[in-house]
Amino acid sequence: MIKKKFGLAVKKYREQLGLSQEKFALSISMDRTYYASVESGKRNISLQNIEKIANGLNVSLSKLFETMDTIL
């Protein structure tokens, strides 16, 4: 459940930026298929990649995790 919540939180912020998965993944130097699996909750992501995504979204780690609590 935590992977799904994290993915939905990330998706929310990416969509607010108006970016496709492909454009966002490219902007943070991450493979698009890897990134897509994060958003879909299928990937057990590392802390380093969580930080990379948060920085790309211009959101603090704490804000990203707080957002997870509001989902589902």
Side-chain angles (χ1 to χ4, degrees), residues 30-53:
M30 187 175 283
D31 181 75
R32 184 202 56 80
T33 57
Y34 178 90
Y35 178 78
S37 68
V38 170
E39 270 195 16
S40 66
K42 296 178 182 171
R43 179 72 59 170
N44 194 11
I45 186 170
S46 72
L47 289 172
Q48 290 174 323
N49 283 333
I50 291 171
E51 181 179 45
K52 185 186 276 193
I53 288 171

Side-chain angles (χ1 to χ4, degrees), residues 14-70:
R14 176 187 56 79
E15 287 179 341
Q16 287 177 355
L17 293 175
L19 296 174
S20 67
Q21 285 182 342
E22 185 173 8
K23 286 188 179 186
F24 181 70
L26 183 63
S27 76
I28 61 171
S29 301
M30 187 175 283
D31 181 75
R32 184 202 56 80
T33 57
Y34 178 90
Y35 178 78
S37 68
V38 170
E39 270 195 16
S40 66
K42 296 178 182 171
R43 179 72 59 170
N44 194 11
I45 186 170
S46 72
L47 289 172
Q48 290 174 323
N49 283 333
I50 291 171
E51 181 179 45
K52 185 186 276 193
I53 288 171
N55 289 341
L57 294 169
N58 201 28
V59 174
S60 70
L61 290 171
S62 60
K63 185 67 173 174
L64 190 54
F65 284 109
E66 285 173 18
T67 301
M68 284 175 49
D69 288 337
T70 66

